């Protein structure tokens, strides 16, 4: 069965829900029949379909300014992409646009102003295998590898006896779900600027990180005690305030089609 799935309108097609249900049924039959390859194929198709839906929805949430909700979707989608890539052929991933989606997720995430996350510090009593329930100890493992699929089921390690110790604030967390910021105080203008140009989730675009120099006079509004516009981490007064020019990070968006009246990003200082 074939249907188009690139726009928000397409995601409302009832055939998609039906197809997901069918894949689940065929998978169960395959498991009963001992046909592992068929079961795994169903898992792959189903995951690819689900992550495409999540990606398209996340894209349009960003377009509507629902940045936080989109952030959680992108995180879910990223995890699904990683497992599909790990358990599928390159050809499958190319056909289903998985590499494209995976790349655009990290592009979009990189344009978010979030940089501080909270991470729950926890102690896990023990893990068990999600496939065979084997209790995992250093010298006692089962034959299942975490992140691989068996009979259409993803092998995860299930944590037991979890004790939450503390909430630590880190800048590179294992999971990106817990964002500490209050979105009201953050600047989403880069995403806003990008979304003013993009209409659909599968348009090709990329971002190139460069720097640009501006004469020092243009920074007269910047307080000497505030962070230096060069983003080097120091205070303006101790960093670039005495230079003739300040070099600041700059993003160049690359689009695959001609954009009439491309809005210019305003000088931020
Ligand atoms: Zn196992
Ligand atoms: Zn500086």
């Amino acid at each position: 069965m074939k249907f188009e799935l690139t726009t928000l309108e397409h995601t409302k097609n009832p055939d998609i829900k039906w197809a997901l249900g069918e894949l689940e049924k065929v998978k169960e039959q395959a498991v009963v029949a001992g046909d592992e390859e068929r079961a795994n194929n169903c898992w792959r198709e189903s995951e690819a379909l689900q992550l495409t839906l999540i990606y398209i929805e996340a894209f349009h949430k960003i377009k509507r300014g629902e940045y936080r909700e989109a952030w959680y979707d992108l995180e879910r989608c990223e995890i699904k992409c990683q497992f599909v890539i790990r358990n599928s052929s390159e050809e499958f991933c190319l056909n289903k646009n998985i590499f494209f989606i995976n790349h655009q997720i990290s592009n979009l995430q990189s344009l978010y102003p979030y940089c501080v996350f909270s991470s729950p510090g926890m102690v896990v009593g023990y893990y068990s295998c999600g496939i065979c329930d084997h209790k995992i100890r250093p010298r006692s493992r089962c034959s299942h590898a975490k992140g691989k699929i068996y009979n259409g089921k993803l092998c995860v390690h299930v944590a037991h006896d979890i004790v939450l110790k503390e909430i630590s604030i880190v800048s590179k967390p294992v999971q990106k779900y817990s964002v500490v910021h209050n979105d009201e105080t953050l600047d989403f203008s880069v995403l806003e600027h990008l979304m003013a140009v993009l209409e659909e989730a599968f348009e090709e675009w990329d971002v190139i990180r460069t720097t640009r120099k501006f004469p020092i006079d243009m920074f007269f509004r910047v307080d000497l005690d505030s962070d230096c516009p060069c983003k080097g981490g120091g205070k303006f007064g101790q960093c670039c305030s005495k230079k003739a020019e300040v070099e600041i990070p700059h993003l160049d968006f690359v689009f695959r089609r001609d954009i009439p009246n491309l809005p210019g990003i305003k000088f931020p200082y």
Side-chain angles (χ1 to χ4, degrees):
M1 192 176 67
K2 272 224 169 299
F3 39 77
E4 251 197 291
L5 183 53
T6 56
T7 67
L8 195 58
E9 205 47 46
H10 293 153
T11 62
K12 295 172 188 132
N13 182 352
D15 285 352
I16 295 172
K17 231 185 175 162
W18 179 83
L20 284 169
E22 284 303 298
L23 282 167
E24 203 53 42
K25 272 188 232 161
V26 176
K27 188 173 91 181
E28 278 162 29
Q29 288 162 6
V31 171
V32 172
D35 187 347
E36 178 160 26
E37 200 183 315
R38 199 169 156 78
N40 289 351
N41 280 338
C42 290
W43 175 88
R44 239 171 243 127
E45 291 288 339
S46 171
E47 289 296 302
L49 201 49
Q50 289 175 53
L51 73 85
T52 307
L53 284 172
I54 300 172
Y55 170 66
I56 295 172
E57 276 160 12
F59 176 91
H60 288 279
K61 282 177 186 171
I62 298 176
K63 250 187 114 54
R64 292 195 300 266
E66 296 161 18
Y67 299 114
R68 177 75 60 132
E69 292 81 359
W71 176 263
Y72 297 137
D73 283 353
L74 291 175
E75 169 74 357
R76 269 166 62 215
C77 198
E78 185 189 16
I79 293 168
K80 281 188 179 290
C81 279
Q82 285 164 4
F83 286 128
V84 170
I85 290 170
R86 181 151 177 217
N87 287 286
S88 313
S89 68
E90 197 174 330
E91 197 196 345
F92 179 88
C93 294
L94 283 170
N95 279 338
K96 303 284 177 184
N97 289 316
I98 309 294
F99 295 131
F100 174 85
I101 293 173
N102 199 37
H103 181 67
Q104 298 310 52
I105 289 172
S106 61
N107 266 350
L108 288 169
Q109 285 171 334
S110 77
L111 301 176
Y112 267 77
Y114 302 152
C115 55
V116 177
F117 305 84
S118 76
S119 233
M122 55 190 185
V123 175
V124 174
Y126 68 96
Y127 288 98
S128 67
C129 172
I131 302 292
C132 70
D133 284 334
H134 183 85
K135 188 170 168 180
I136 294 156
R137 276 154 291 166
R139 255 173 270 257
S140 166
R141 298 187 153 265
C142 60
S143 60
H144 303 114
K146 195 174 142 191
K148 286 211 66 166
I149 44 168
Y150 299 91
N151 261 321
K153 194 178 170 198
L154 184 71
C155 177
V156 288
H157 283 179
V158 185
H160 300 268
D161 301 341
I162 302 169
V163 184
L164 204 64
K165 298 298 262 192
E166 84 247 42
I167 303 289
S168 45
I169 308 288
V170 289
S171 60
K172 278 216 172 73
V174 191
Q175 40 103 351
K176 305 192 192 86
Y177 276 113
S178 35
V179 181
V180 164
H181 294 287
N182 169 7
D183 285 0
E184 306 279 296
T185 62
L186 290 171
D187 178 10
F188 289 95
S189 58
V190 180
L191 278 169
E192 225 171 89
H193 173 83
L194 174 70
M195 288 300 167
V197 175
L198 295 179
E199 269 152 29
E200 295 298 343
F202 283 91
E203 279 184 63
E204 289 196 39
W205 62 277
D206 225 322
V207 57
I208 298 169
R209 275 149 225 280
T210 55
T211 57
R212 278 209 188 165
K213 287 181 183 166
F214 292 95
I216 192 74
D217 300 349
M218 292 181 75
F219 297 85
F220 70 93
R221 283 194 200 87
V222 181
D223 195 90
L224 290 177
D225 284 327
S226 61
D227 296 338
C228 188
C230 78
K231 307 282 183 204
K235 298 287 171 219
F236 187 44
Q238 274 100 57
C239 190
C240 296
S241 65
K242 287 168 197 76
K243 294 180 188 165
E245 287 178 319
V246 183
E247 198 169 338
I248 64 172
H250 176 82
L251 301 174
D252 260 327
F253 288 117
V254 186
F255 302 102
R256 290 291 152 81
R257 61 177 167 98
D258 212 19
I259 312 286
N261 316 318
L262 189 65
I265 290 191
K266 273 183 277 159
F267 182 69
Y269 297 99

